[in-house]
Amino acid sequence: MSRRAVMIRLTALIMLLAFISAPNLFAPVFEPLTTNNAPAIYNQGNLLFLTMAHLGTVFSAALASTLVAVLLGVLVTRPSGVEFLPLSRSLVSIGQTFPPVAVLAIAVPLVGFGEKPTLIALFLYGLLPIFENTLTGLTQVSPLTLDAAKGMGMGPTRRLYEVELPLALPVILAGIRLSVVINLGTATIGSTVAAKGLGEVIIAGLQSNNTAFILQGGLVVALLAVLIHDGLMMFERLLVRRLGLGPAAA
Amino acid sequence: MASPHWTLSPDRLGSMVAVLIGIALYAAPFVTYRANRIAAGAARSIFEALPPTTAFVLVGAALSVAIVAIFVRRSIVRLAAASLGLVVIAPCVGLSAGFVTPAGNTFARVSPALGFWLLGLAFSLLVADALTRLRLGPWARLGALSIAAAAMALLLFSGAWDGLSILKEYATRADSFWSEARRHVLLAIGSLAAAVAVGLPLGVLCHRAPRLRAAILQVLNVIQTIPSIALFGILMVPLGYLAAFPLAAALGIHGIGAAPAFVALFLYSLLPVVANTVVGLDHVPATVVDAARGMGLSNRQRLFDVELPLALPVILAGIRIVLVQNLGLATVAALIGGGGFGTFVFQGIGQTAIDLVLLGAIPTVALSFAAAVILDAAIELSNGTSQ
């Protein structure tokens, strides 16, 4: 990233932090968007708390999807699970045609309103990109490399932990990043089923016809998504360099 | 590692499917009975939900599929068995509605329960696995999709499912169902068409002027990260102002409704179209472009006769992403009065009426799935012709 790009992101981060911790300072900016003396800044809840709740939902769902997706990905690429591999690939592509709203809506009658249906929808929807990338990463490891590892006397477990997973890591991480960014947006829809999060601000704006609310909620989520996307990408590059994989492996 | 075809060692995937079938038959209710549309449900097992003979046929058919799944490895046999299973359970669930509901009771609702869904899942997994292993060509896949669609249409229009709760929800809203369906498809496909009309030239421009590329793609990337409900909401503002002009209002532009949803879907669609056009054009081999130049083709001819046809599979892949994404996102349009299947989904959430939710969700999923299959086939066909 160039110096300028870093500066822009730093500024965005500082603005974002300032806004969620002291939103009232920004009231003059949003005032022109309101009518009939409606409040310019969301006043039915604490923005900092809502942001934390939003991030908490997204990251706990992402953690669960990562664990399950990587485990499944490893299982179906082992010799004993290979019968499941073709079906797994089809299921990933079929699963991604399910709209997140539909997953969310079907989960509500089953588990009730609140965080639970949102967590389930985010977990299920987040599985797909991670699982897909785990499959890609693990099946892309060259057979020559695996033979060399075998020749060095490595057993299947050591091959997995010391050769296959590290080589697949960049692709798996890219899948996690994709899944987190998609879920940051999807989590806002969770507020239609009463989950705590930034979607609340947007929904309140839609209900009271207050564009200032809609814009605030949307901007905070969009900024979070862009910053988290770039942050995760920086982390991936750092990790790949640390592991000595270099760009060739990525 | 080809296993001999006479082996008696059980197939792992098949065993998993068989376990699912076992749970569905013996440990899960087949349908749920409710005294009215939002009352709590009571579970009915297969033998409580169907006349004895039918129940035996159903159990027998399901067990046969389980045995085939475990011991037979030929994909075509597995496909036939699993399809037969689906053909048996689908009318059965419709039949059980009439059997469970007391005669003359019009308030009672019967919906498929866990057991039915698990059987459906088990058979569909087997079908999906067999179809994947058969490596069907694009035409054969389209054929399979048409057969599935025809079977669904037959079940729906023959009245076999009319007793089920979801179709009772449909019956009370038959008119609005089709008008929302039309809106949903128009929103998704219309915004896609607009995005292609704008995105293709923009992609060509990005390809030819590398300086613009980073800037344009960056902006489109940022748009993608704005959550859909926020973008719908934000767009209500400028469109609301526009609607103040008589001409705009005459064109049907309003602050709330379909217009902001259409524009938002259009904006989301731009990135995949532009990015894939750029990538597709980038991957046209330089030697081919040189040869075209050597043959004396003009810039225009080169673009339309050589570069775009060669880039077509990648551009189509972008269009597939957009169409599937739009069909899903169009559900959210209902929140700002834009209509579409989302209307039923959000009404259903509000009334905690799961069948109403499903009335909106199932057609959405079916449309996205069909769109994905059709465009995947188109991509493969265009790959064949462009080489």
Side-chain angles (χ1 to χ4, degrees):
Chain A
M1 241 186 270
S2 70
R3 255 185 103 84
R4 213 184 61 169
V6 174
M7 287 312 289
I8 293 176
R9 281 165 183 80
L10 268 181
T11 325
L13 179 64
I14 293 168
M15 294 287 280
L16 179 66
L17 289 176
F19 183 71
I20 57 175
S21 44
N24 286 320
L25 292 179
F26 293 79
V29 185
F30 290 100
E31 215 109 78
L33 291 169
T34 60
T35 47
N36 302 332
N37 285 327
I41 297 295
Y42 187 62
N43 53 1
Q44 297 156 26
N46 181 334
L47 270 185
L48 186 62
F49 168 73
L50 288 179
T51 310
M52 287 301 152
H54 196 94
L55 290 178
T57 312
V58 170
F59 280 108
S60 40
L63 187 68
S65 348
T66 305
L67 287 176
V68 174
V70 172
L71 184 71
L72 285 179
V74 168
L75 282 181
V76 302
T77 49
R78 299 306 96 192
S80 57
V82 85
E83 280 164 357
F84 292 87
L85 188 58
L87 179 64
S88 309
R89 285 186 202 279
S90 315
L91 285 186
V92 165
S93 71
I94 295 173
Q96 277 164 343
T97 61
F98 271 67
V101 189
V103 182
L104 189 69
I106 294 171
V108 171
L110 301 179
V111 298
F113 283 87
E115 316 284 279
K116 269 195 241 159
T118 314
L119 275 173
I120 292 176
L122 294 188
F123 163 72
L124 287 177
Y125 213 68
L127 274 179
L128 299 169
I130 307 177
F131 184 58
E132 183 172 29
N133 280 29
T134 308
L135 287 185
T136 314
L138 286 176
T139 48
Q140 259 176 6
V141 176
S142 110
L144 290 178
T145 316
L146 285 180
D147 276 347
K150 219 179 277 177
M152 284 166 66
M154 286 189 181
T157 320
R158 272 192 72 197
R159 280 207 301 275
L160 175 66
Y161 283 108
E162 293 175 25
V163 181
E164 293 176 78
L165 279 179
L167 281 175
L169 190 65
V171 190
I172 297 177
L173 288 177
I176 298 176
R177 166 163 48 93
L178 189 64
S179 143
V180 168
V181 171
I182 295 176
N183 278 352
L184 275 168
T186 311
T188 51
I189 303 174
S191 300
T192 57
V193 297
K196 283 269 160 232
L198 290 162
E200 221 178 282
V201 184
I202 302 172
I203 303 276
L206 286 173
Q207 280 167 351
S208 63
N209 223 340
N210 186 338
T211 320
F213 286 4
I214 301 174
L215 195 63
Q216 278 156 42
L219 273 182
V220 174
V221 180
L223 273 179
L224 278 176
V226 173
L227 289 172
I228 288 175
H229 173 268
D230 291 354
L232 287 175
M233 201 130 105
M234 264 163 65
F235 170 75
E236 284 163 37
R237 290 206 187 116
L238 202 75
L239 202 70
V240 167
R241 215 177 302 149
R242 271 282 169 79
L243 287 172
L245 292 170
Chain B
M1 283 203 301
S3 42
H5 65 270
W6 42 263
T7 182
L8 261 180
S9 73
D11 175 86
R12 282 166 212 259
L13 176 82
S15 310
M16 190 190 80
V17 168
V19 169
L20 279 182
I21 294 176
I23 296 174
L25 289 181
Y26 299 111
F30 189 62
V31 291
T32 310
Y33 172 81
R34 282 169 302 160
N36 62 53
R37 76 189 272 264
I38 51 174
R44 294 277 191 274
S45 72
I46 291 180
F47 286 94
E48 294 162 335
L50 287 168
T53 0
T54 324
F56 275 115
V57 171
L58 173 62
V59 173
L63 287 178
S64 324
V65 179
I67 290 169
V68 169
I70 300 177
F71 294 112
V72 183
R73 299 206 176 203
R74 281 189 59 190
S75 299
I76 193 83
V77 179
R78 290 164 73 127
L79 177 64
S83 313
L84 191 73
L86 287 172
V87 168
V88 171
I89 62 166
C92 272
V93 76
L95 213 66
S96 75
F99 186 72
V100 168
T101 312
N105 185 337
T106 49
F107 296 108
R109 295 297 184 108
V110 177
S111 330
L114 185 65
F116 171 80
W117 294 118
L118 278 182
L119 282 179
L121 173 72
F123 298 157
S124 313
L125 282 177
L126 216 52
V127 168
D129 182 55
L131 287 177
T132 313
R133 282 172 197 273
L134 285 172
R135 292 172 198 280
L136 296 180
W139 288 114
R141 289 206 305 271
L142 289 177
L145 179 69
S146 330
I147 293 173
M152 279 306 266
L154 188 69
L155 280 166
L156 287 171
F157 291 106
S158 68
W161 279 345
D162 279 357
L164 291 178
S165 183
I166 178 168
L167 281 179
K168 290 193 172 165
E169 297 286 345
Y170 165 76
T172 54
R173 315 182 160 69
D175 293 337
S176 68
F177 180 85
W178 290 108
S179 70
E180 298 302 356
R182 206 171 313 122
R183 277 191 108 157
H184 196 97
V185 172
L186 277 181
L187 264 182
I189 294 185
S191 56
L192 167 69
V196 172
V198 175
L200 264 185
L202 210 57
V204 174
L205 188 71
C206 283
H207 172 69
R208 303 223 159 157
R211 275 172 174 226
L212 280 175
R213 175 193 298 200
I216 290 180
L217 289 180
Q218 191 94 47
V219 171
L220 295 180
N221 249 321
V222 171
I223 292 177
Q224 288 265 326
T225 64
I226 303 176
S228 47
I229 47 176
L231 190 57
F232 287 171
I234 293 168
L235 285 168
M236 286 160 69
V237 183
L239 290 168
Y241 284 126
L242 261 183
F245 295 97
L247 178 66
L251 286 171
I253 295 177
H254 298 292
I256 61 166
F262 184 91
V263 178
L265 290 180
F266 162 76
L267 289 175
Y268 283 131
S269 311
L270 276 179
L271 178 72
V273 174
V274 175
N276 279 44
T277 309
V278 175
V279 173
L281 291 174
D282 279 351
H283 280 142
V284 175
T287 47
V288 175
V289 180
D290 275 347
R293 211 174 273 151
M295 283 164 66
L297 293 187
S298 71
N299 251 338
R300 232 184 107 84
Q301 285 172 319
R302 215 167 67 222
L303 180 66
F304 285 103
D305 297 344
V306 180
E307 291 179 289
L308 281 180
L310 282 175
L312 187 64
V314 187
I315 298 175
L316 279 178
I319 290 178
R320 175 202 191 274
I321 297 174
V322 168
L323 188 57
V324 170
Q325 174 184 298
N326 275 0
L327 284 166
L329 278 176
T331 13
V332 184
L335 279 180
I336 54 165
F341 286 128
T343 317
F344 304 125
V345 173
F346 289 111
Q347 270 177 16
I349 292 179
Q351 306 171 1
T352 54
I354 186 168
D355 297 300
L356 188 50
V357 170
L358 290 177
L359 183 64
I362 290 177
T364 313
V365 171
L367 275 180
S368 316
F369 178 69
V373 173
I374 293 171
L375 278 166
D376 276 338
I379 292 168
E380 222 168 283
L381 289 172
S382 74
N383 242 330
T385 51
S386 70
Q387 271 160 13

